[in-house]
Amino acid sequence: MSVKFPKDFYWGAATSAHQIEGGLKNNWTEWEKEHAKVESEFYKKGGKRSFNYPIGQVNIKEACTYENYISGKAADSFNKYKEDVQLLKELGLNAYRFSVDWSRIEPEKGKYSKEGIEYYKDLIKELKSNGIEPFLTCWHWPIPPWLEEEGGLLSKNIVEYFGKYVDILVENFGQDVKYWMTINEPLVVSGSGYLQGTRAPGIKNIFKFWRVCFINLVKMHKLAYGVIKEYCPNSQVAISKNLFGIRGEGYNFFQKIIKKIFGYFWNDLFLHKIEGSLDFIGLNYYAEIETDILNFKKDERKRSDIGWAMDPYSIYYVLKDLKKKYNLPIIITENGLADREDKYRKWWLDETFRAMEDALEEGVDLFGYLHWSLLDNFEWSEGFWPRFGLVEVDRETCERRTRESGYYYKKLVERANGPG
Ligand code: BGC
């Protein structure tokens, strides 16, 4: 390796509460029931998605079952969190990004659950006593049922509610957590839930989408930023933002303009709106714009199980672009692929390491990499069939087994850290 990663670089993995904990009761657990019926029937009848999935790829047995779409016990991390921390440790990692489930903390409006708070306290304690830095996401999508009844992200009180919730988090975890992500992927949660209608709460309305994304989530982030900084002035606060790579040649004039406009709305607008309320940027990176969203041309790149064109090195261009536009420290808070057979993950990691090295060499202030995901988990509207884990999770027993690529990641990290 030509460039040394900084000595204090964070190497880790990421998860989110709803996707791994199990035993939750939030708006998603409600929404899943109907979705599970519709979706499993759709695939049973031989239905195919034209958007994102290459024909045939999704048509696997699990996608036809109702249970696939019910988060249920998920990866049972509520009970197995200590084992998960040991997995991180065995992989030689020093950072873990997890999220707090709002409904576990505030199952009833204004009433906070001691048990819920204790769970996350224990998790954080367990991480720290094993030398693993916690990266806490305040909100990774589901909301408590009482809030959904009040209009969810469209509620006129949503900003205030979120402020109070974050207040409780800071009061309880502030002493032990330095790195905070307020919100995960504002455009994905609002776009899929309020524009495409493919995820909870299943609304398709551009005005509602706009209100949720560019008004409410912006205000929620800014308020949360202020609350966290007030109580914990030494904390570092960010958002986790999904960005698309925007490169590729051979487009006509019209396509280039569309790409520019789309790129501006997806990648830049939200970040512009919250400028000044960010200590660093959390980058979630999976795919490039042209094949996966705009679908202008079919290309020859390999595709992951979920159908996204794989071009891991292109994260380099995203990192460079972020440096140019915002000049803030960056940590990769999500990056990975659905790869059940573990065919491509090693290659993906190699390419990503190369991209990170090149970016570091060119002065990008990158201070960590958190792979998505530590565990196979509940992949939202697609359910359990896509497998993103460095660690495989048995669907029946929830037994964990580290994949070969997990051990490979460990080796890469050891090499990057160098001797001593
Ligand atoms: C989300 C994760 C999700 C991952 C893979 C991101 O959009 O933050 O929750 O599992 O992508 O689809």
Side-chain angles (χ1 to χ4, degrees):
M1 270 192 193
S2 50
V3 178
K4 280 242 150 67
F5 283 88
K7 267 274 165 257
D8 51 0
F9 201 80
Y10 286 115
W11 294 108
T15 59
S16 90
H18 188 77
Q19 297 179 270
I20 62 161
E21 282 179 13
L24 289 164
K25 195 172 179 327
N26 55 38
N27 69 323
W28 259 84
T29 52
E30 277 310 299
W31 182 83
E32 279 160 25
K33 296 175 191 162
E34 186 55 30
H35 173 72
K37 270 191 226 151
V38 174
E39 212 60 8
S40 52
E41 284 308 314
F42 175 81
Y43 286 117
K44 263 188 228 154
K45 287 186 191 135
K48 309 232 196 271
R49 297 268 177 242
S50 58
F51 179 76
N52 265 350
Y53 307 117
I55 301 293
Q57 197 143 21
V58 76
N59 207 358
I60 52 179
K61 264 207 301 223
E62 272 172 280
C64 299
T65 64
Y66 178 86
E67 297 71 39
N68 176 65
Y69 304 94
I70 300 292
S71 56
K73 65 177 174 180
D76 198 24
S77 286
F78 185 71
N79 296 308
K80 289 181 180 281
Y81 69 94
K82 289 195 177 164
E83 206 180 307
D84 294 344
V85 173
Q86 285 315 305
L87 287 169
L88 289 159
K89 205 174 165 196
E90 276 159 32
L91 289 177
L93 303 176
N94 64 357
Y96 181 52
R97 175 178 173 231
F98 64 95
S99 79
V100 175
D101 185 80
W102 191 339
S103 67
R104 222 186 250 300
I105 299 290
E106 193 179 359
E108 284 176 60
K109 186 172 161 183
K111 292 197 180 135
Y112 302 101
S113 153
K114 227 175 134 216
E115 197 202 353
I117 292 171
E118 281 310 308
Y119 169 66
Y120 294 107
K121 273 196 179 164
D122 286 350
L123 170 63
I124 293 166
K125 202 162 109 203
E126 192 69 15
L127 288 167
K128 295 200 84 161
S129 62
N130 280 283
I132 297 167
E133 185 73 35
F135 283 73
L136 187 152
T137 310
C138 299
W139 183 64
H140 198 128
W141 305 353
I143 53 175
W146 62 262
L147 179 51
E148 186 64 63
E149 271 164 38
E150 284 198 26
L153 299 183
L154 286 161
S155 155
K156 61 180 184 341
N157 300 318
I158 182 72
V159 181
E160 183 196 326
Y161 291 152
F162 189 61
K164 284 191 183 149
Y165 162 66
V166 172
D167 208 276
I168 296 293
L169 301 190
V170 173
E171 204 180 297
N172 285 286
F173 315 131
Q175 280 190 332
D176 296 308
V177 176
K178 178 175 177 193
Y179 296 100
W180 296 76
M181 274 68 55
T182 57
I183 291 174
N184 181 66
E185 298 187 349
L187 270 99
V188 178
V189 66
S190 54
S192 57
Y194 292 82
L195 184 62
Q196 288 179 300
T198 50
R199 292 181 176 179
I203 292 172
K204 292 183 191 171
N205 181 314
I206 192 162
F207 302 105
K208 290 183 176 170
F209 155 72
W210 194 271
R211 178 156 199 85
V212 167
C213 188
F214 293 113
I215 299 175
N216 292 354
L217 291 177
V218 167
K219 287 188 188 161
M220 284 160 69
H221 168 78
K222 285 186 176 171
L223 178 64
Y225 180 85
V227 170
I228 302 167
K229 295 303 272 190
E230 192 188 330
Y231 286 96
C232 311
N234 296 327
S235 59
Q236 293 290 297
V237 186
I239 195 157
S240 279
K241 179 77 179 72
N242 176 299
L243 299 183
F244 279 113
I246 303 185
R247 68 176 173 130
E249 304 302 321
Y251 295 98
N252 65 34
F253 177 73
F254 173 70
Q255 289 171 335
K256 276 185 188 152
I257 303 261
I258 304 226
K259 268 176 65 173
K260 266 221 153 3
I261 297 174
F262 188 85
Y264 175 74
F265 277 109
W266 188 276
N267 282 359
D268 299 318
L269 184 57
F270 197 93
L271 286 175
H272 284 322
K273 284 188 184 278
I274 59 168
E275 260 185 290
S277 306
L278 281 177
D279 299 329
F280 66 95
I281 294 176
L283 165 63
N284 290 2
Y285 183 74
Y286 290 93
E288 261 197 278
I289 213 165
E290 47 263 39
T291 43
D292 293 313
I293 292 290
L294 299 178
N295 263 327
F296 282 152
K297 60 175 185 187
K298 294 278 165 246
D299 68 358
E300 297 305 311
R301 279 178 295 183
K302 293 177 265 198
R303 286 176 177 268
S304 68
D305 293 350
I306 208 164
W308 302 340
M310 295 190 286
D311 189 1
Y313 184 82
S314 59
I315 196 170
Y316 162 81
Y317 299 96
V318 182
L319 290 168
K320 292 270 292 186
D321 193 51
L322 281 177
K323 177 178 167 56
K324 194 168 92 200
K325 287 183 180 144
Y326 305 97
N327 202 24
L328 285 168
I330 304 168
I331 180 162
I332 297 165
T333 43
E334 280 183 35
N335 174 261
L337 67 163
D339 183 14
R340 170 189 291 255
E341 305 292 334
D342 213 22
K343 273 196 289 200
Y344 299 117
R345 208 171 272 107
K346 289 189 205 166
W347 161 79
W348 177 285
L349 286 165
D350 275 337
E351 287 294 285
T352 306
F353 270 63
R354 194 163 66 81
M356 290 194 285
E357 279 196 303
D358 289 350
L360 280 166
E361 195 166 67
E362 290 175 35
V364 174
D365 184 1
L366 179 67
F367 70 100
Y369 173 78
L370 311 177
H371 189 83
W372 185 273
S373 180
L374 176 65
L375 304 168
D376 285 345
N377 58 46
F378 180 73
E379 178 55 26
W380 307 110
S381 41
E382 283 74 35
F384 285 105
W385 69 259
R387 306 285 210 271
F388 275 87
L390 292 165
V391 175
E392 186 181 348
V393 177
D394 185 285
R395 284 294 329 117
E396 295 301 313
T397 61
C398 287
E399 229 169 274
R400 279 100 164 108
R401 193 187 61 84
T402 301
R403 289 195 163 92
E404 250 187 57
S405 55
Y407 294 117
Y408 189 71
Y409 180 33
K410 178 182 179 159
K411 265 201 217 131
L412 290 180
V413 170
E414 277 167 4
R415 223 193 302 161
N417 283 335

